[in-house]
Amino acid sequence: MGDKAGTHAPPDRQAGFTMVTPENKLRRALNVPLLTLYGLGVTVGAGIYVLVGATAAEAGVFAPVSFVVAAVVVAFTAFSYAELSTRYPVSAGEAAYVEAGFSSASLATVVGLAVVLSGLVSAAAVSLGAASYLHGLTGAPTEGLTVAVVALMAVIALWGITQSVTVAAVITVIEVSGLLMVMLWGFVFSDPSGVTLPEIIPPLTGPHWVGIGTASLLAFFAFVGFEDMANVAEEVKDPLHTMPRAILWTLVLATVLYIGTTTAVLMAVPLETLSASAAPLLLVFADAPAPLQQGFSLVAIVATVNGVLIQMIMASRVLYGLADRGHLPKPLAYVSPKTQTPVVATLVVGLTILLLALTFPIDALAERTSQIVLFVFVLVNLALIRIKLAGAPADQHFRVPMAVPVLGVGTSLLLLATGLL
């Protein structure tokens, strides 16, 4: 893997892409730290706050190992995204990759809309979760709080990419701080009621690997989100170096946080109690002072709100990118000359999230979101394989061996098939 130079046409001129005029371009303002925080914000979220108990129910004391397995699986597709996002540093990344690999505008549109759908459903479900947490604190009607959450996040998203990602980055720091609180209290201050550290290391052989494998399917979904980084590539400074580094840092940091958090909870909480809980991280603070418990609850609210904002940014950029390339109505590609954000696309996304949150059974829709993401992963990896086999020219870009997208297809299909059983 590494950076390779070329002398061919810029990516914007490939696969049917058209160069946009300077006044209509999104602003390139994101560096490695901001993009990494954006990636962590969309990856580290409600998943880890609720998945620890579910993974422990399947893998038992070996739950942390399931996150290691999931990280290895995710890494293949992550590196495929690293190459593709530097070949084609544009919005609606997955759609652009599929169009370049399959020369099919219709398939690209399907993929782009699938990405948007997964983001909309996820954001709608998360906004309901945020409203429910807020209802517990304020007693205000959940419907009104849902409207307020979505409206506030839409205003921030319209404000500007630097401002909105900076807000998301600040929230992400708070969100990650919550996980660090869990680790600190679980490792240092809580009464150890769970397992010891040596018990978490599994034997090399035995039936326990079946449970670890099943749990890794759950843990995988805690990593879903890094791919959204590709959809702000058009707003990244120096995509050639920034995109791969930010993707790698996001994956490494998320893995460390997940393993540390899961281990701390297992050591602090009895396995039987943990496996039956829908709010497992709160169990770590069972013997903590009330202010600390309340403070952690606020962090959980912030984490859910952050998910709404980041999914809103992602979905609006995909709609903008599809419209900019003529696959959707042109008004969706309108960029405000003042904020340099896709105004119409953001408003459409915000209204759709609100509609889903208020009128549809989000739980039923959310169950399909992970399958949509895996479907997209398969097509993206296949697109990279086809691009490599065709020897498609490109300007400077990050490169990975052919084995990476091949393994990305295989692992994604395996998880998709398992989820459909």
Side-chain angles (χ1 to χ4, degrees), residues 207-232:
H208 53 273
W209 283 102
V210 175
I212 292 173
T214 303
S216 68
L217 299 177
L218 296 171
F220 167 81
F221 300 116
F223 287 94
V224 169
F226 77 87
E227 73 280 1
D228 290 346
M229 299 166 72
N231 293 311
V232 295

Side-chain angles (χ1 to χ4, degrees), residues 368-419:
R368 301 296 176 220
T369 301
S370 56
Q371 294 172 348
I372 295 171
V373 172
L374 285 168
F375 165 73
V376 172
F377 281 6
V378 170
L379 288 179
V380 166
N381 281 295
L382 285 174
L384 180 56
I385 291 171
R386 289 173 63 91
I387 290 169
K388 285 178 170 292
L389 289 175
D395 203 354
Q396 290 184 332
H397 66 275
F398 181 83
R399 291 184 182 178
V400 297
M402 178 65 82
V404 170
V406 170
L407 289 169
V409 170
T411 52
S412 296
L413 281 175
L414 180 61
L415 287 170
L416 182 60
T418 304

